[in-house]
Amino acid sequence: MAVGAGRSSRRRVSMLVALVAAATLTACQGEVLGPLPVATVVARPAGEAPPAAVAFAPLTGRSADAAALAHPSLAVKVDNHENARPQIALNRTDIVFEELVEGGLTRYVAVWHSDIPDEVGPVRSIRPMDPDIATPFGGIIAYSGGQEQFVEMMMATPLVNLVFDYDDTGLFHRADERPGPHDVILASAEAVTRNASVAPPSVQFAYGSADPLAAPAYVAVPTSSVELVFSDERFPSWQWDAAASAWQRSQEGAPDLEASGERVRATNVVTLRVAIDDSYGEVPRTVMVSSGEAWVSVAGRTAHGTWAKDAPGSPIRLTADDGSPLRLAPGNTWVELVPDDGSVAFTP
């Protein structure tokens, strides 16, 4: 048994030697290969940062550095009086809501998170629907003041309230080149820095591809322009610019420009038909905890559906006519809160 085992061992060794020898030769005239490569580990130089974690911005759906998103959103009540134009940094917003206010005018609740400018404005006073609009974002709300009852409503939310009328910290200033009261400017980057420990916002809408309405189930129709009427005083519109892959905004028939000189633009235009509560006298209150008809305009298409909001702190849900979620393209969004007695039209 011992002799047989020795022969077997010698046979295995011989076979192994033959295999190794064969592995060192090429099939071309016996050319000998070099030694097999040895895996090496390259040490990262001391102090070099590891690769940044990739995340998605909750209010745009775009990929971003996770560390750059670790701060609260900033919602600001922005003036839209003719004397307040051009507004500052609207094209750097994540989401803007346009709402009806007294006199048939409109104002904005503009929300910045993924890109915080140094300054924004002009900042104006709060209205009764603004707590329901801003609360789902958490974070910070900035405004110039307002009727005591409306300020108390906003103060009752969990948001950090920054109010020009009460500010003694230098976050707000009046711009000499702008007429009052359309001249209040917020140091927005500083406002976020001072409240950096406040939690970031949660996702508000569902996002898809750059052309999310292309699926036949949405029955989306080609759209070159979106025409909206809030009142005789305010009738904004959006024109699709295929070269820029964006909707370009107009107000009262003229191109709408921001302070940078750029045309105000959006990746997504979401139009909601809303009821108006007149219980505050001359101050209309858009009813936000409700539901109604909705349209989503993306990439030169428009799909019809419904919207619903269950509670002041709940986000708006957009549902297509087939029951599936209405998805937006990654990018910034304008939400147009058009009164039921206004009008909505889409041009092919």
mmCIF file of all heavy atoms in Angstrom, residues 1-12:
data_model
loop_
_atom_site.group_PDB
_atom_site.id
_atom_site.type_symbol
_atom_site.label_atom_id
_atom_site.label_comp_id
_atom_site.label_asym_id
_atom_site.label_seq_id
_atom_site.Cartn_x
_atom_site.Cartn_y
_atom_site.Cartn_z
ATOM 1 N N MET A 1 0.826 -1.208 0.000
ATOM 2 C CA MET A 1 0.000 0.000 0.000
ATOM 3 C C MET A 1 0.852 1.246 0.000
ATOM 4 O O MET A 1 0.601 2.188 -0.717
ATOM 5 C CB MET A 1 -0.927 0.008 1.225
ATOM 6 C CG MET A 1 -1.976 -1.088 1.195
ATOM 7 S SD MET A 1 -3.176 -0.863 -0.118
ATOM 8 C CE MET A 1 -3.947 0.614 0.456
ATOM 9 N N ALA A 2 1.963 1.234 0.766
ATOM 10 C CA ALA A 2 2.813 2.418 0.839
ATOM 11 C C ALA A 2 3.481 2.678 -0.481
ATOM 12 O O ALA A 2 3.619 3.814 -0.920
ATOM 13 C CB ALA A 2 3.867 2.256 1.949
ATOM 14 N N VAL A 3 3.943 1.548 -1.173
ATOM 15 C CA VAL A 3 4.607 1.720 -2.483
ATOM 16 C C VAL A 3 3.620 2.297 -3.483
ATOM 17 O O VAL A 3 3.913 3.213 -4.251
ATOM 18 C CB VAL A 3 5.186 0.371 -2.970
ATOM 19 C CG1 VAL A 3 5.717 0.496 -4.373
ATOM 20 C CG2 VAL A 3 6.291 -0.088 -2.025
ATOM 21 N N GLY A 4 2.377 1.755 -3.540
ATOM 22 C CA GLY A 4 1.359 2.260 -4.466
ATOM 23 C C GLY A 4 1.056 3.723 -4.214
ATOM 24 O O GLY A 4 0.898 4.507 -5.133
ATOM 25 N N ALA A 5 0.986 4.095 -2.954
ATOM 26 C CA ALA A 5 0.695 5.494 -2.633
ATOM 27 C C ALA A 5 1.809 6.385 -3.093
ATOM 28 O O ALA A 5 1.592 7.489 -3.588
ATOM 29 C CB ALA A 5 0.478 5.648 -1.119
ATOM 30 N N GLY A 6 3.094 5.918 -2.970
ATOM 31 C CA GLY A 6 4.224 6.731 -3.422
ATOM 32 C C GLY A 6 4.195 6.940 -4.908
ATOM 33 O O GLY A 6 4.479 8.030 -5.410
ATOM 34 N N ARG A 7 3.854 5.851 -5.661
ATOM 35 C CA ARG A 7 3.784 6.000 -7.119
ATOM 36 C C ARG A 7 2.695 7.004 -7.515
ATOM 37 O O ARG A 7 2.874 7.810 -8.430
ATOM 38 C CB ARG A 7 3.497 4.638 -7.757
ATOM 39 C CG ARG A 7 4.683 3.682 -7.687
ATOM 40 C CD ARG A 7 4.278 2.322 -8.198
ATOM 41 N NE ARG A 7 5.404 1.392 -8.152
ATOM 42 C CZ ARG A 7 5.294 0.089 -8.380
ATOM 43 N NH1 ARG A 7 4.081 -0.418 -8.647
ATOM 44 N NH2 ARG A 7 6.359 -0.689 -8.331
ATOM 45 N N SER A 8 1.588 6.873 -6.843
ATOM 46 C CA SER A 8 0.481 7.806 -7.166
ATOM 47 C C SER A 8 0.872 9.235 -6.905
ATOM 48 O O SER A 8 0.569 10.131 -7.679
ATOM 49 C CB SER A 8 -0.754 7.447 -6.324
ATOM 50 O OG SER A 8 -1.801 8.361 -6.562
ATOM 51 N N SER A 9 1.598 9.486 -5.804
ATOM 52 C CA SER A 9 2.021 10.854 -5.490
ATOM 53 C C SER A 9 2.976 11.370 -6.533
ATOM 54 O O SER A 9 2.896 12.521 -6.969
ATOM 55 C CB SER A 9 2.678 10.892 -4.103
ATOM 56 O OG SER A 9 1.730 10.529 -3.113
ATOM 57 N N ARG A 10 3.963 10.466 -6.955
ATOM 58 C CA ARG A 10 4.924 10.907 -7.968
ATOM 59 C C ARG A 10 4.234 11.221 -9.282
ATOM 60 O O ARG A 10 4.601 12.150 -9.997
ATOM 61 C CB ARG A 10 5.999 9.830 -8.165
ATOM 62 C CG ARG A 10 6.978 9.728 -6.983
ATOM 63 C CD ARG A 10 8.197 8.909 -7.359
ATOM 64 N NE ARG A 10 7.859 7.518 -7.639
ATOM 65 C CZ ARG A 10 7.769 6.566 -6.692
ATOM 66 N NH1 ARG A 10 7.969 6.843 -5.419
ATOM 67 N NH2 ARG A 10 7.476 5.326 -7.031
ATOM 68 N N ARG A 11 3.174 10.417 -9.597
ATOM 69 C CA ARG A 11 2.449 10.657 -10.843
ATOM 70 C C ARG A 11 1.746 12.029 -10.821
ATOM 71 O O ARG A 11 1.758 12.770 -11.789
ATOM 72 C CB ARG A 11 1.415 9.544 -11.058
ATOM 73 C CG ARG A 11 0.697 9.615 -12.407
ATOM 74 C CD ARG A 11 -0.282 8.466 -12.606
ATOM 75 N NE ARG A 11 0.404 7.175 -12.521
ATOM 76 C CZ ARG A 11 0.216 6.300 -11.536
ATOM 77 N NH1 ARG A 11 -0.624 6.573 -10.559
ATOM 78 N NH2 ARG A 11 0.870 5.159 -11.517
ATOM 79 N N ARG A 12 1.140 12.382 -9.659
ATOM 80 C CA ARG A 12 0.454 13.669 -9.566
ATOM 81 C C ARG A 12 1.436 14.815 -9.671
ATOM 82 O O ARG A 12 1.170 15.854 -10.281
ATOM 83 C CB ARG A 12 -0.326 13.754 -8.249
ATOM 84 C CG ARG A 12 -1.599 12.909 -8.258
ATOM 85 C CD ARG A 12 -2.498 13.320 -7.112
ATOM 86 N NE ARG A 12 -1.892 13.059 -5.816
ATOM 87 C CZ ARG A 12 -2.023 11.913 -5.148
ATOM 88 N NH1 ARG A 12 -2.749 10.942 -5.662
ATOM 89 N NH2 ARG A 12 -1.446 11.774 -3.971
#
